[in-house]
Amino acid sequence: MERLHTKIQTLLAQYSCRSAVIVRNESTGNALAINPAMVFPAASMIKIPIMIEVMRQAAAGKLPLAKTVAITSQMQTGGAGILKELQPGIKMTVAELVTLMIILSDNTATNVLIDLAGMAAINAAITGLGLRSTVLQRKMMDFAAAKAGRENLTSAADLARLFAGIAGSTPAVPPPYNAMMLDILKRQQIRDKLPFYLPAEVIIAHKTGTLAGAEHDGGILFAPGGPYIICVLTAELTANYEGLQLVAMIGKIIYEYIA
């Protein structure tokens, strides 16, 4: 992957932001890593370990996926998602909340799931999964907590470890639940970063993240000779559109190299 590494480094040199990139062929083990352990504000990438812990509890019978929750006005929060736009009182299953948390990055669904699974349990799962830089310290849209230093954090190495598990190498939950997570990630609706320049028929199971000055994307690209684990994190962007362009171009470069 030396040629791919060089192309990505050349592109990154055109930007002043912090960045990290991992590309790994799960079939061959060939990989490149740029700043894999660098810590970033997690943004919505933190929703991956939340999903994993919810599925772990579901598999253990502690949090049934069929359990319903009435979404009250007190639960509705701003930012990404659709639940904030719906009439309070609508009932959602845990499975539906997980789906909305991932495919639309719904913040209301995320906060409800944090309450259901428990922040301490989610962080215990993060530790148990061997993640070194990832921590859940606040709910979505709690900017007061972030300002006070309680930011959600992660790294490309940690995310790559999670996606590799979902891809099947070291699953964190029983196969049916792991397959469900993979299926949800494949139905991602936010496609303005890694998949932006990819042909429509290419399958990528992924999750994005956005904060002021940060744009992330990561997941599993299904391509000949793969699958490939890809994680791209950025921070300290001058403007977020630059991050969108950068991550999208990295996705294009990776796909052209693979193809």
Side-chain angles (χ1 to χ4, degrees), residues 102 214 217:
I102 299 301
D217 202 349

Side-chain angles (χ1 to χ4, degrees), residues 167-253:
S169 61
T170 54
V173 297
Y177 295 89
N178 200 71
M180 194 178 305
M181 291 194 296
L182 183 59
D183 176 66
I184 292 170
L185 288 165
K186 286 179 179 178
R187 291 187 277 135
Q188 177 60 250
Q189 300 296 297
I190 303 170
R191 298 178 60 84
D192 56 358
K193 283 175 254 190
L194 282 177
F196 188 77
Y197 291 110
L198 272 55
E201 66 272 14
V202 173
I203 297 173
I204 179 169
H206 69 118
K207 179 75 189 77
T208 64
T210 298
L211 281 174
E215 293 288 352
H216 310 323
D217 202 349
I220 308 152
L221 175 66
F222 294 88
Y228 291 80
I229 304 299
I230 303 173
C231 295
V232 183
L233 306 182
T234 68
E236 299 172 20
L237 293 160
T238 303
N240 275 66
Y241 76 85
E242 293 183 350
L244 290 171
Q245 293 173 345
L246 174 57
V247 180
M249 282 302 300
I250 290 175
K252 183 175 186 288
I253 289 170

